[in-house]
Amino acid sequence: MTPRIARALRITRTPDTPRRRRAGLRELALTVAAAALAVPFATVPAEAAHAAPRTGFETSDGARWTGQPEEQEFLSAVDRASDRVAIERIGTTKQGRPLQLVRIGAPRPAAHTMLLICSQHGNEPSGREACLSTVRDLAFARDRATSTFLSRTNVLVLPTANPDGRAANTRGNADGVDINRDHIALQTAEGRAMAGVIRDQRPDVIYDLHEYGATPPYYDKDLFVLWPRNPNVHDGVHDASQTLSDRYVRPAAAESGYSSGIYGIWTDPVTGDPIKQTAGDGQERILRNTSGLKHAVGLLIESRVDALSEAEKADPALNQRRRVESQHAALGGLFTFDDEQRGRIEAATAVSRLAGFADRGPVYLGGADNDPAEPGEVIQDPPCGYRLTAAQYADVGDELALHGVTSRPDGDGAYVPLRQSARNLVPLLLDERATYHLTNGQALTAC
């Protein structure tokens, strides 16, 4: 294979954007980089490069996507050849396909953990290809910086989060369900598997790779990004996530020659001012928001599917290489952020996990960081807990457990206190006023 030549990203930092301030959408100045790298410090030695497995996408020079059997063979080959890699089956889809989690680096339970979720939507392949080659590059790199990084970091990768949708080339899974709208209800095998990983591995960072269709000239950047906007996300987690976007991922994309913007917001092509919001709200059922509610710094990334030129229209491989390379460039920003901001990330996630035990402050049933909740969407004085009947608990107990919510027996039912790490998530699951609640729990004012 042709090894990825490592380089340190030289990124011009931009100031943090305070919470609730409308983010500026000026296009970053583009500079052409020599290569777009998933891991800026990962260097594969020449002797290892010849033995390292390659994906179907790589062997075809981008003419076709890696097939599922090829992916299985590729991952097995990486696993056999590298003592850094372990692969675990975390679930099975409705059609019997495996959901595989790849672990690279420190196996210690308390290690700093990063989770990459790739191809939740089965017809969005570029993130999956970037994830597969990133797994290989981390597994085979032998430079000191990568070895040090992996000695204290647990990198988890779910290369194909929606295998059935991938096989059918559909957005949804075998039942037509959009998995990225199932992170509260947990009705899909795929959503349940991801929830279990997040609960058990407690990732500090969750990065979710997607693709989008452009609407020129208002919505046609090479990449769009978005952090958790749900107003219940702890400020430290929210602000670190926005730093990941504004100071790392977007500048890394610009360094490699790619434009970027904020997902879900159309902009004036002349002034760069926002003119319309089409998506990107605070829905708790979307992974980037669920991740924040579960105390992880996170980001959604979307690469542009549409051809950028007549050359790309004439040569699909050119289009597909650009999509994957832009994902690699953004991943470079992610890894630099995780390496440089490790202390801040861990402090933010730790404080977020502890904040619920104080059991203070309102809980928001709607709104976003750029769209304040209406008065009727705010529980100003939340209950001390919710009581579930035996029938209710039998119906939703497994989902509560997958969410990491603590509950205890109470008569013939169960009691779910708010004073716990998942405090801000509990009303979203059990209050009848919440849009995506699992059941109508009885709010208790005296516990």
Side-chain angles (χ1 to χ4, degrees):
M1 87 178 213
T2 302
R4 298 183 186 279
I5 306 302
R7 64 182 173 87
L9 290 176
R10 297 180 297 278
I11 299 172
T12 302
R13 306 299 183 200
T14 56
D16 287 337
T17 303
R19 189 170 192 176
R20 300 190 185 281
R21 178 184 299 171
R22 186 176 296 275
L25 298 178
R26 293 174 301 158
E27 182 174 335
L28 295 171
L30 302 181
T31 58
V32 178
L37 305 177
V39 188
F41 40 74
T43 303
V44 181
E47 62 275 14
H50 294 296
R54 303 177 70 196
T55 66
F57 179 82
E58 291 171 324
T59 59
S60 69
D61 197 25
R64 60 178 180 82
W65 305 111
T66 302
Q68 185 178 22
E70 287 178 309
E71 178 178 321
Q72 300 300 311
E73 183 179 347
F74 172 85
L75 291 175
S76 295
V78 173
D79 188 18
R80 289 192 302 269
S82 174
D83 57 4
R84 290 175 173 170
V85 174
I87 299 176
E88 176 187 358
R89 185 169 182 152
I90 59 170
T92 303
T93 69
K94 181 179 180 179
Q95 295 181 343
R97 295 184 175 89
L99 289 158
Q100 291 186 298
L101 183 72
V102 183
R103 184 189 304 270
I104 313 116
R108 303 186 312 275
H112 179 92
T113 299
M114 172 195 297
L115 173 62
L116 308 184
I117 302 289
C118 322
S119 290
Q120 281 201 80
H121 296 145
N123 58 353
E124 299 174 7
S126 72
R128 179 181 70 246
E129 297 293 349
C131 285
L132 288 172
S133 50
T134 295
V135 166
R136 189 263 324 285
D137 291 348
L138 287 171
F140 282 83
R142 290 294 179 264
D143 59 288
R144 180 176 297 179
T146 305
S147 296
T148 299
F149 179 82
L150 291 176
S151 71
R152 57 188 187 134
T153 308
N154 189 20
V155 180
L156 305 176
V157 183
L158 184 57
T160 303
N162 183 3
D164 291 351
R166 177 250 191 94
N169 195 32
T170 57
R171 179 180 176 90
N173 68 357
D175 290 322
V177 176
D178 185 337
I179 296 168
N180 201 28
R181 301 298 184 273
D182 187 46
H183 293 288
I184 287 293
L186 301 182
Q187 295 301 295
T188 65
E190 299 88 353
R192 295 173 75 86
M194 283 182 269
V197 170
I198 294 170
R199 177 197 62 192
D200 297 341
Q201 302 299 325
R202 292 161 54 101
D204 299 281
V205 178
I206 298 176
Y207 189 80
D208 186 21
L209 294 84
H210 288 260
E211 295 196 84
Y212 84 100
T215 308
Y218 306 105
Y219 196 61
D220 61 348
K221 305 297 186 186
D222 297 314
L223 293 164
F224 279 114
V225 301
L226 196 61
W227 50 89
R229 284 197 182 276
N230 188 282
N232 296 295
V233 175
H234 191 274
D235 284 351
V237 167
H238 172 279
D239 294 348
S241 300
Q242 196 163 357
T243 295
L244 169 60
S245 162
D246 296 348
R247 292 181 55 198
Y248 287 88
V249 167
R250 294 186 65 189
E255 179 90 358
S256 294
Y258 299 107
S259 60
S260 66
I262 305 302
Y263 181 71
I265 298 179
W266 286 20
T267 58
D268 185 295
V270 177
T271 66
D273 294 332
I275 59 174
K276 178 181 178 181
Q277 182 164 337
T278 61
D281 57 13
Q283 285 185 25
E284 58 268 25
R285 62 179 182 164
I286 298 171
L287 180 61
R288 62 178 168 79
N289 287 316
T290 311
S291 299
L293 289 166
K294 294 183 177 181
H295 319 296
V297 174
L299 200 67
L300 166 80
I301 185 81
E302 301 258 359
S303 61
R304 174 188 168 130
V305 171
D306 312 78
L308 285 173
S309 64
E310 292 302 319
E312 282 196 3
K313 290 178 183 178
D315 182 2
L318 189 62
N319 166 273
Q320 291 168 184
R321 288 197 301 269
R322 186 258 307 161
R323 289 153 63 184
V324 175
E325 288 164 4
S326 67
Q327 292 276 10
H328 275 305
L331 277 165
L334 169 69
F335 278 90
T336 303
F337 167 79
D338 195 75
D339 199 41
E340 293 184 357
Q341 299 279 340
R342 179 180 300 259
R344 176 185 177 181
I345 295 166
E346 293 178 353
T349 57
V351 171
S352 178
R353 293 182 190 282
L354 291 173
F357 292 100
D359 194 16
R360 290 196 298 266
V363 174
Y364 301 92
L365 304 178
D369 65 356
N370 64 341
D371 180 23
E374 299 293 333
E377 297 175 316
V378 182
I379 306 177
Q380 289 290 355
D381 187 15
C384 55
Y386 293 85
R387 189 181 186 281
L388 305 180
T389 66
Q392 286 176 317
Y393 191 64
D395 187 41
V396 304
D398 286 347
E399 286 71 35
L400 293 177
L402 281 168
H403 281 301
V405 171
T406 299
S407 59
R408 61 174 182 260
D410 181 37
D412 62 349
Y415 168 64
V416 183
L418 252 67
R419 191 181 294 275
Q420 59 174 294
S421 185
R423 188 250 189 190
N424 286 356
L425 181 61
V426 170
L428 303 180
L429 299 172
L430 301 180
D431 197 290
E432 64 180 350
R433 293 167 290 180
T435 304
Y436 306 106
H437 63 278
L438 301 179
T439 192
N440 297 337
Q442 179 189 358
L444 302 177
T445 55
C447 302

